[in-house]
Structures are given as structure tokens and as C-alpha cells.
């Protein structure tokens, strides 16, 4: 029975990590848009290349934030949560 | 003159030692404290010392020790660059120091309101250099302090205190009224967005550095497996040696450690400047001054 419970915990943690990374779609689209617009801007005004590029990198890094949150959640679910949850389960069972 | 020069040289040696010795010490600490049995693993900062305190034990962790060592290194760099500084003549070190200060002043001047120029450039520079050096620590194989949430969280709380201090400049009443705008129903939303500022700053920096180190560790682990599968048939030590792990992870490290670390340091200091500058109620103070002038 305990094996089954631990198996469910591990499987659900992996599943949750996978689901969390769906959030990677948003930053991907957002950064793609930003880069496309930056390319357009450079094509229109090549003399502004420097400032456009630095602004774009800044914006990309901020757009990346939500993806990074998802990544942190996924990493926690894979590397931290199983140990903690199994510990909680064992404590509850008095093992 | 000669004696003075030799004195300068001795001091320079001391400062160069101040730059290099902390990095070596960090590497030695890492080598000594890592158990031999532990291969590639993804774990948090190692706890060196636990000091019992009334509320909860005070932990001295790897991240803290490394950030102290980085502070010594940065101090050494600053002292080395400014040693023997002179008003009229300048050598390459003085030029370098002046270039750095000028660039920093220019950055702060572009992004902050004029009231802040003189007072906030040192703070922004300190945050930026600490962040860059901390993230680049992973190039030496040492635990980078910025991949510990507590370190970055501390910086973010510092920035949050400065933001609140600047918001309070026009009085507590004006600050409290800011929470009820545009309509009083928005109060919970405003409180959440206020708290979200330091949280998002800390998580952005921490997540980027952490994801870099996790991906590097996973790639190193996979390459070890791949080289065991490809070249494991060689006899003895030749078969056990992970050939693919030599040099290949460095290509990833160029992106994850160098590029990502520097970009995140830049963004952290940029957001620091923008938030602090945006918190300053300049219009309100101007309007108040005008009202006072009208009354008199």
C-alpha cells in the first residue's frame, strides 16, 4: 500500500512538472513577437540598431519571467516536492 | 620617487591577492566540503554552521560564505583600480576606473529622475557588480550565491524598502491614498501588486541562474552516460573516463553562465532604477510647492 502511495506521489509530481511547463508557450510567443518587431524596426531604421537591440533584450528578459516561474515550479516539483511529500506521508502513517 | 613606486607595487600585490585569494578559497571550500561519493547532483546550498538563536537557528550557508568572498574580491578590484589615482596624470587603471564610473553615471542619468543621480549611482553599481560577480562564480565550479533565493530575495527586499521610502516622501496620507486609486475597490489588487514587485524581481534573477545550473548539471550527467555507452568498451581507466564531459558543457556555460548572468544583473539593476525612480512622487511635490507659493 505504501509503495502505491509513494508511486502516486512521484507520478503526480512528474505530471505536475510537465503541466507547469505549458507556461513556456506564452513567453515563446511573446519573445517571438518582440524579436520580429525589433527586426522590423532595424530594417526601417538601421542607424538605431544598438538601442533597439538593447531594448529588445531587456523586454525579452522581462517577458521570460513567467516562463522562468514555471521552470522554478517544475524544478521544485521534480527535485524537492517528492522528498517532502513522502516525508509528510510517512510522518502521517507514523513510520 | 623610486621608494614611492615600490610602495605602490607592494600595495598592488596586496590588492591583486585580495582579488584572487577569495576565489581560490571558495574553490578549496567547495572541494573540501563536497563528499566524494556525491556525483552530479542538484541540491541547494550546503549548510556549514548552525548558530542557535532564540527564534530560530542562524544558518551559515555556502551561498553566504561565497557572497562574502565575492565582496572581498570586488573590494580588491576597486582598490586596485583606484590605487595611485591622480588628478592630472592617469595610467590604464585610472582610465578603466573612470570609464566604469562614467558608464554607470550615464546609465543612472538616462533611467532615473535628476533628483537621484548623485545618490543612487553607487547603490546601483554595487548591486550590479555583486550580481555579475556572483553569477560568474559558477564558471569556477563554485556554487553561485545568486542561485539561492535568500540572497536575491535580500536584495529585492532592500530595493522594496527604497521604493517605499521614496513613495513616502510626499507624506503617509498621499502614500495611503495611492492604494485606493483609481477606485477604492482596487485596494486588494494594489496591495498584491505592491508585494509582487520584490517577489518577481527575486524570482526572475534566481530562476534564471538556477535553471542554468540545473540544465548544466543535467547535460553533464547525460554526457557522462553517453561517453560510457560509446567508449565504455576501452579497457580499465580509459573506459571509465568521461571523455564527452571535457569541454562540451563549456559551450552551454557560455550562454547560461556568462550571457544569462550578465543580462540578469543588468535587468535587476535596470528594474531597481526604474522602480525607485517611478516611486518618487515628483508631480505631487511640485504641485505642493506651487500651492505653498500661492498661499504666501
Amino acid at each position: 500500500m505504501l509503495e502505491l502511495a509513494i508511486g502516486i506521489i512521484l507520478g503526480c509530481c512528474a505530471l505536475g512538472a510537465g503541466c507547469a511547463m505549458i507556461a513556456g508557450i506564452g513567453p515563446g510567443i511573446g519573445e517571438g513577437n518582440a524579436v520580429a518587431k525589433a527586426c522590423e524596426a532595424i530594417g526601417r531604421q538601421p542607424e538605431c540598431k544598438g538601442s533597439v537591440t538593447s531594448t529588445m533584450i531587456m523586454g525579452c528578459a522581462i517577458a521570460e519571467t513567467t516562463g522562468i516561474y514555471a521552470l522554478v515550479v517544475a524544478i521544485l516539483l521534480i527535485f524537492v516536492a517528492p522528498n517532502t511529500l513522502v516525508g509528510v506521508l510517512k510522518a502521517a502513517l507514523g513510520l | 620617487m623610486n621608494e614611492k613606486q615600490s610602495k605602490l607595487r607592494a600595495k598592488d600585490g596586496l590588492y591583486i591577492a585580495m582579488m584572487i585569494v577569495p576565489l581560490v578559497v571558495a574553490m578549496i571550500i567547495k572541494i573540501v566540503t563536497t563528499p566524494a561519493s556525491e556525483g552530479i547532483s542538484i541540491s541547494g546550498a550546503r549548510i556549514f554552521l548552525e548558530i542557535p538563536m532564540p527564534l530560530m537557528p542562524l544558518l551559515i550557508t555556502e551561498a553566504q560564505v561565497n557572497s562574502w568572498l565575492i565582496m572581498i574580491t570586488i573590494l580588491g578590484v576597486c582598490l586596485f583600480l583606484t590605487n595611485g589615482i591622480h588628478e592630472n596624470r592617469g595610467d590604464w587603471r585610472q582610465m578603466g576606473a573612470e570609464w566604469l564610473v562614467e558608464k554607470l553615471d550615464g546609465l543612472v542619468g538616462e533611467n532615473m529622475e535628476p533628483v537621484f543621480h548623485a545618490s543612487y549611482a553607487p547603490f546601483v553599481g554595487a548591486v550590479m557588480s555583486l550580481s555579475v560577480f556572483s553569477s560568474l562564480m559558477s564558471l569556477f565550479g563554485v556554487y553561485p550565491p545568486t542561485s539561492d533565493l535568500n540572497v536575491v530575495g535580500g536584495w529585492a527586499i532592500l530595493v522594496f524598502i527604497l521604493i517605499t521610502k521614496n513613495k513616502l516622501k510626499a507624506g503617509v496620507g498621499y502614500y495611503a491614498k495611492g492604494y485606493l486609486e483609481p477606485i477604492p475597490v482596487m485596494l486588494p489588487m494594489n496591495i498584491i501588486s505592491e508585494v509582487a514587485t520584490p517577489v518577481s524581481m527575486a524570482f526572475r534573477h534566481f530562476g534564471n541562474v538556477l535553471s542554468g545550473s540545473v540544465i548544466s548539471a543535467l547535460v553533464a550527467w547525460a554526457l557522462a552516460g553517453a561517453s560510457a555507452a560509446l567508449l565504455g568498451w576501452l579497457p580499465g581507466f580509459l573506459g571509465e573516463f568521461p571523455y564527452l564531459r571535457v569541454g562540451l558543457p563549456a559551450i552551454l556555460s557560455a550562454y547560461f553562465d556568462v550571457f544569462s548572468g550578465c543580462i540578469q544583473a543588468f535587468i535587476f539593476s535596470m528594474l531597481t532604477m526604474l522602480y525607485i525612480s517611478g516611486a518618487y512622487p515628483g508631480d505631487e511635490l511640485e504641485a505642493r510647492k506651487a500651492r505653498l507659493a500661492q498661499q504666501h
Side-chain angles (χ1 to χ4, degrees), chain B residues 251-280:
Chain B
I251 300 167
L252 272 182
S253 146
Y255 174 77
F256 283 118
D257 294 337
V258 180
F259 180 72
S260 186
C262 292
I263 285 283
Q264 286 309 313
F266 178 69
I267 283 168
F268 194 91
S269 42
M270 202 76 176
L271 287 179
T272 303
M273 288 188 281
L274 293 179
Y275 281 139
I276 291 175
S277 183
Y280 182 68

Short mmCIF file of all heavy atoms in Angstrom, two decimals, chain B residues 251-280:
data_model
loop_
_atom_site.label_atom_id
_atom_site.label_comp_id
_atom_site.label_asym_id
_atom_site.label_seq_id
_atom_site.Cartn_x
_atom_site.Cartn_y
_atom_site.Cartn_z
N ILE B 251 30.38 24.98 -23.64
CA ILE B 251 29.64 25.72 -24.67
C ILE B 251 28.32 26.20 -24.11
O ILE B 251 27.91 27.35 -24.30
CB ILE B 251 29.43 24.82 -25.90
CG1 ILE B 251 30.78 24.37 -26.45
CG2 ILE B 251 28.62 25.54 -26.96
CD1 ILE B 251 30.67 23.24 -27.44
N LEU B 252 27.64 25.30 -23.37
CA LEU B 252 26.39 25.70 -22.73
C LEU B 252 26.64 26.76 -21.68
O LEU B 252 25.86 27.69 -21.52
CB LEU B 252 25.77 24.48 -22.05
CG LEU B 252 24.85 23.63 -22.88
CD1 LEU B 252 24.32 22.53 -22.02
CD2 LEU B 252 23.70 24.47 -23.39
N SER B 253 27.75 26.59 -20.96
CA SER B 253 28.04 27.51 -19.88
C SER B 253 28.26 28.93 -20.39
O SER B 253 27.97 29.90 -19.70
CB SER B 253 29.24 26.99 -19.11
OG SER B 253 30.01 28.02 -18.62
N ALA B 254 28.73 29.04 -21.65
CA ALA B 254 28.90 30.37 -22.23
C ALA B 254 27.57 31.10 -22.29
O ALA B 254 27.50 32.30 -22.06
CB ALA B 254 29.52 30.28 -23.62
N TYR B 255 26.50 30.36 -22.61
CA TYR B 255 25.18 31.02 -22.61
C TYR B 255 24.63 31.15 -21.21
O TYR B 255 24.29 32.25 -20.76
CB TYR B 255 24.19 30.24 -23.49
CG TYR B 255 22.80 30.82 -23.41
CD1 TYR B 255 22.49 31.98 -24.10
CD2 TYR B 255 21.83 30.26 -22.59
CE1 TYR B 255 21.24 32.54 -24.00
CE2 TYR B 255 20.57 30.82 -22.49
CZ TYR B 255 20.28 31.96 -23.20
OH TYR B 255 19.06 32.51 -23.09
N PHE B 256 24.54 30.02 -20.49
CA PHE B 256 23.78 30.03 -19.24
C PHE B 256 24.48 30.81 -18.15
O PHE B 256 23.83 31.44 -17.33
CB PHE B 256 23.51 28.61 -18.78
CG PHE B 256 22.42 27.95 -19.55
CD1 PHE B 256 22.66 26.83 -20.30
CD2 PHE B 256 21.15 28.49 -19.54
CE1 PHE B 256 21.65 26.24 -21.02
CE2 PHE B 256 20.13 27.91 -20.26
CZ PHE B 256 20.39 26.78 -21.00
N ASP B 257 25.81 30.73 -18.10
CA ASP B 257 26.50 31.42 -17.01
C ASP B 257 26.86 32.85 -17.40
O ASP B 257 26.55 33.79 -16.68
CB ASP B 257 27.76 30.65 -16.62
CG ASP B 257 27.41 29.31 -16.01
OD1 ASP B 257 26.28 29.21 -15.51
OD2 ASP B 257 28.22 28.40 -16.04
N VAL B 258 27.53 33.01 -18.55
CA VAL B 258 28.06 34.33 -18.88
C VAL B 258 26.94 35.24 -19.38
O VAL B 258 26.64 36.28 -18.79
CB VAL B 258 29.19 34.22 -19.93
CG1 VAL B 258 29.72 35.59 -20.26
CG2 VAL B 258 30.29 33.34 -19.42
N PHE B 259 26.26 34.83 -20.46
CA PHE B 259 25.25 35.71 -21.07
C PHE B 259 24.08 35.93 -20.12
O PHE B 259 23.72 37.06 -19.80
CB PHE B 259 24.77 35.08 -22.38
CG PHE B 259 23.74 35.90 -23.10
CD1 PHE B 259 24.10 37.08 -23.73
CD2 PHE B 259 22.42 35.50 -23.12
CE1 PHE B 259 23.15 37.83 -24.37
CE2 PHE B 259 21.48 36.26 -23.78
CZ PHE B 259 21.84 37.42 -24.39
N SER B 260 23.51 34.82 -19.62
CA SER B 260 22.32 34.94 -18.77
C SER B 260 22.64 35.67 -17.49
O SER B 260 21.86 36.52 -17.04
CB SER B 260 21.80 33.54 -18.48
OG SER B 260 20.60 33.59 -17.81
N GLY B 261 23.79 35.39 -16.89
CA GLY B 261 24.16 36.06 -15.64
C GLY B 261 24.30 37.55 -15.82
O GLY B 261 23.77 38.34 -15.03
N CYS B 262 24.99 37.96 -16.90
CA CYS B 262 25.20 39.40 -17.13
C CYS B 262 23.88 40.08 -17.45
O CYS B 262 23.61 41.18 -16.95
CB CYS B 262 26.20 39.62 -18.25
SG CYS B 262 27.84 39.11 -17.82
N ILE B 263 23.05 39.43 -18.28
CA ILE B 263 21.76 40.04 -18.65
C ILE B 263 20.90 40.20 -17.41
O ILE B 263 20.26 41.23 -17.21
CB ILE B 263 21.05 39.14 -19.69
CG1 ILE B 263 21.72 39.28 -21.06
CG2 ILE B 263 19.60 39.47 -19.79
CD1 ILE B 263 21.36 40.53 -21.78
N GLN B 264 20.89 39.18 -16.55
CA GLN B 264 20.04 39.28 -15.36
C GLN B 264 20.54 40.35 -14.42
O GLN B 264 19.74 41.06 -13.80
CB GLN B 264 19.96 37.93 -14.64
CG GLN B 264 19.09 36.93 -15.35
CD GLN B 264 17.73 37.46 -15.68
OE1 GLN B 264 17.06 38.06 -14.86
NE2 GLN B 264 17.30 37.27 -16.91
N ALA B 265 21.87 40.50 -14.31
CA ALA B 265 22.42 41.57 -13.47
C ALA B 265 21.98 42.92 -14.01
O ALA B 265 21.54 43.81 -13.26
CB ALA B 265 23.93 41.49 -13.42
N PHE B 266 22.06 43.07 -15.33
CA PHE B 266 21.67 44.33 -15.97
C PHE B 266 20.19 44.61 -15.72
O PHE B 266 19.80 45.73 -15.38
CB PHE B 266 21.97 44.24 -17.47
CG PHE B 266 21.57 45.45 -18.24
CD1 PHE B 266 22.24 46.65 -18.07
CD2 PHE B 266 20.52 45.39 -19.13
CE1 PHE B 266 21.86 47.76 -18.79
CE2 PHE B 266 20.13 46.50 -19.84
CZ PHE B 266 20.81 47.69 -19.67
N ILE B 267 19.37 43.56 -15.87
CA ILE B 267 17.93 43.75 -15.72
C ILE B 267 17.58 44.06 -14.27
O ILE B 267 16.73 44.92 -14.00
CB ILE B 267 17.19 42.51 -16.23
CG1 ILE B 267 17.20 42.55 -17.74
CG2 ILE B 267 15.78 42.45 -15.73
CD1 ILE B 267 16.78 41.31 -18.36
N PHE B 268 18.25 43.39 -13.34
CA PHE B 268 17.96 43.66 -11.93
C PHE B 268 18.26 45.11 -11.60
O PHE B 268 17.45 45.80 -10.98
CB PHE B 268 18.79 42.72 -11.04
CG PHE B 268 18.35 42.68 -9.62
CD1 PHE B 268 17.42 41.75 -9.21
CD2 PHE B 268 18.87 43.55 -8.68
CE1 PHE B 268 17.00 41.71 -7.91
CE2 PHE B 268 18.45 43.51 -7.37
CZ PHE B 268 17.51 42.58 -6.98
N SER B 269 19.42 45.60 -12.06
CA SER B 269 19.75 46.99 -11.70
C SER B 269 18.87 47.97 -12.48
O SER B 269 18.50 49.02 -11.97
CB SER B 269 21.22 47.27 -11.94
OG SER B 269 21.63 46.70 -13.12
N MET B 270 18.51 47.58 -13.72
CA MET B 270 17.62 48.43 -14.52
C MET B 270 16.26 48.58 -13.82
O MET B 270 15.74 49.69 -13.68
CB MET B 270 17.42 47.73 -15.87
CG MET B 270 16.98 48.61 -16.97
SD MET B 270 18.35 49.58 -17.53
CE MET B 270 17.56 50.40 -18.86
N LEU B 271 15.72 47.43 -13.36
CA LEU B 271 14.41 47.49 -12.69
C LEU B 271 14.52 48.26 -11.38
O LEU B 271 13.61 48.99 -11.01
CB LEU B 271 13.91 46.07 -12.43
CG LEU B 271 13.43 45.32 -13.65
CD1 LEU B 271 12.98 43.94 -13.27
CD2 LEU B 271 12.29 46.05 -14.31
N THR B 272 15.66 48.08 -10.67
CA THR B 272 15.88 48.85 -9.45
C THR B 272 15.74 50.33 -9.74
O THR B 272 15.00 51.06 -9.06
CB THR B 272 17.29 48.56 -8.92
OG1 THR B 272 17.42 47.17 -8.71
CG2 THR B 272 17.55 49.30 -7.64
N MET B 273 16.44 50.77 -10.79
CA MET B 273 16.41 52.20 -11.14
C MET B 273 15.01 52.63 -11.52
O MET B 273 14.52 53.66 -11.04
CB MET B 273 17.36 52.46 -12.30
CG MET B 273 18.80 52.38 -11.92
SD MET B 273 19.86 52.90 -13.24
CE MET B 273 19.89 51.49 -14.28
N LEU B 274 14.34 51.84 -12.37
CA LEU B 274 13.03 52.26 -12.87
C LEU B 274 12.00 52.30 -11.75
O LEU B 274 11.22 53.24 -11.64
CB LEU B 274 12.57 51.32 -13.98
CG LEU B 274 13.41 51.39 -15.25
CD1 LEU B 274 12.89 50.42 -16.28
CD2 LEU B 274 13.39 52.79 -15.83
N TYR B 275 12.01 51.27 -10.89
CA TYR B 275 11.03 51.23 -9.81
C TYR B 275 11.25 52.38 -8.83
O TYR B 275 10.30 53.05 -8.42
CB TYR B 275 11.10 49.90 -9.05
CG TYR B 275 10.41 48.75 -9.75
CD1 TYR B 275 10.97 47.49 -9.78
CD2 TYR B 275 9.17 48.93 -10.34
CE1 TYR B 275 10.34 46.44 -10.41
CE2 TYR B 275 8.53 47.89 -10.97
CZ TYR B 275 9.12 46.65 -11.00
OH TYR B 275 8.49 45.61 -11.62
N ILE B 276 12.51 52.60 -8.44
CA ILE B 276 12.78 53.66 -7.46
C ILE B 276 12.43 55.01 -8.05
O ILE B 276 11.82 55.86 -7.42
CB ILE B 276 14.25 53.61 -7.01
CG1 ILE B 276 14.50 52.35 -6.18
CG2 ILE B 276 14.60 54.83 -6.18
CD1 ILE B 276 15.92 52.16 -5.78
N SER B 277 12.81 55.18 -9.33
CA SER B 277 12.53 56.45 -9.98
C SER B 277 11.02 56.66 -10.16
O SER B 277 10.52 57.76 -9.98
CB SER B 277 13.24 56.49 -11.32
OG SER B 277 13.06 57.71 -11.94
N GLY B 278 10.32 55.56 -10.47
CA GLY B 278 8.88 55.67 -10.67
C GLY B 278 8.13 55.90 -9.37
O GLY B 278 7.01 56.42 -9.38
N ALA B 279 8.75 55.51 -8.23
CA ALA B 279 8.05 55.65 -6.96
C ALA B 279 8.09 57.09 -6.46
O ALA B 279 7.31 57.47 -5.60
CB ALA B 279 8.69 54.75 -5.91
N TYR B 280 9.00 57.89 -7.01
CA TYR B 280 9.18 59.25 -6.50
C TYR B 280 8.02 60.13 -6.94
O TYR B 280 7.78 60.28 -8.14
CB TYR B 280 10.50 59.81 -7.02
CG TYR B 280 10.82 61.18 -6.52
CD1 TYR B 280 11.13 61.38 -5.19
CD2 TYR B 280 10.83 62.27 -7.38
CE1 TYR B 280 11.43 62.63 -4.73
CE2 TYR B 280 11.13 63.53 -6.92
CZ TYR B 280 11.43 63.71 -5.59
OH TYR B 280 11.72 64.94 -5.13
#
